[in-house]
Amino acid sequence: MAQTSQRLNDAADSYGFGFAEMAYLLKATSTPEAAKSATVLRLTEELNSEQLCIAGASSLLARGLASLNGEDIELEGPTMALAYALGRANRWTEISLMTADAVDTVVHVESDRVKVLLQPRSLSTWFAFAQDPKLDGAVAEVDVVAEHVRQTTTGTAYVLSRNMDNEDYLMIRPDANNWAVGRVTDPTADVVEQAGLSRAELLEKLSGLRAMISS
């Protein structure tokens, strides 16, 4: 598991949310971007369950992560930031961190003002870590992949980047002390790779992926 994703569990400014709480946070904004966030996080069914969303709101109130103002529920602190990111996102990047026998996932959700890294854990819980908004998104994603490879040596990654209309991907693996990136250009042929890339060149490739779906 990458160091960046470990922080979702360990950092003082990380928070865990149950799936009902996540459903309510998505419901609270009710934007097309929130619906897309639900799709990416595989929470569409939960978002559409009124009873589950009410249970999520109740849980947030009980934990002090929301408060009542008359009949209105007001989100507090980290829940407000997470709801903003989910409801106003302009990019969703799913990073599948793979080893020979396991796959871990980090979902990078970016809006104009708030960026968060989300990681699913046991019993459909999610841990959220706020990314420094001044840090370029591609840099954060390289950090996640690089730490995964550092810890596993042979680990690989599949990076799927989306906006509201488009999506594209890049496969990444270590190449000795460098990096290789790959794409499938023909389903009947082998992966087309570029090997021997430096970290700076890997960052350039991820930045190019992000730019491609934004054009």
Side-chain angles (χ1 to χ4, degrees):
M1 184 188 304
Q3 182 179 17
T4 305
S5 61
Q6 281 181 321
R7 290 176 183 167
L8 304 183
N9 295 325
D10 299 337
D13 53 355
S14 67
Y15 293 86
F17 297 91
F19 63 89
E21 294 176 328
M22 292 290 289
Y24 177 75
L25 294 180
L26 291 162
K27 189 81 168 181
T29 52
S30 295
T31 62
E33 292 82 3
K36 181 75 169 183
S37 291
T39 299
V40 172
L41 300 176
R42 297 166 180 83
L43 288 170
T44 299
E45 184 176 344
E46 290 80 358
L47 173 61
N48 293 330
S49 169
E50 192 70 28
Q51 186 173 7
L52 196 62
C53 290
I54 291 172
S58 175
S59 178
L60 291 171
L61 286 168
R63 296 208 292 141
L65 295 174
S67 60
L68 281 176
N69 182 6
E71 295 184 355
D72 296 327
I73 297 174
E74 295 186 347
L75 301 176
E76 304 285 347
T79 55
M80 185 185 300
L82 179 55
Y84 184 96
L86 294 172
R88 306 226 180 156
N90 50 45
R91 184 183 301 277
W92 300 259
T93 303
E94 187 173 353
I95 308 170
S96 299
L97 303 170
M98 299 172 284
T99 62
D101 54 5
V103 179
D104 202 1
T105 302
V106 173
V107 180
H108 191 199
V109 180
E110 301 172 78
S111 69
D112 58 338
R113 294 171 53 193
V114 181
K115 302 177 183 180
V116 295
L117 293 161
L118 296 167
Q119 187 173 38
R121 305 313 300 156
S122 301
L123 298 177
S124 300
T125 55
W126 287 85
F127 280 84
F129 174 74
Q131 181 204 316
D132 182 350
K134 297 178 183 177
L135 184 69
D136 182 75
V139 173
E141 291 163 11
V142 167
D143 286 347
V144 169
V145 174
E147 185 60 22
H148 169 63
V149 170
R150 187 191 71 79
Q151 292 191 10
T152 63
T153 306
T154 59
T156 60
Y158 180 90
V159 179
L160 176 62
S161 188
R162 305 176 175 95
N163 60 19
M164 287 294 289
D165 303 311
N166 302 301
E167 64 179 52
D168 208 345
Y169 73 93
L170 198 63
M171 294 179 284
I172 303 172
R173 67 170 179 84
D175 178 33
N177 293 323
N178 294 303
W179 298 94
V181 299
R183 299 175 61 84
V184 176
T185 57
D186 181 351
T188 65
D190 292 336
V191 174
V192 177
E193 279 195 334
Q194 284 184 274
L197 301 177
S198 67
R199 184 182 176 115
E201 290 170 323
L202 175 61
L203 175 60
E204 184 179 345
K205 292 295 181 184
L206 275 177
S207 297
L209 173 69
R210 294 161 62 86
M212 187 180 303
I213 68 166
S214 298
S215 59

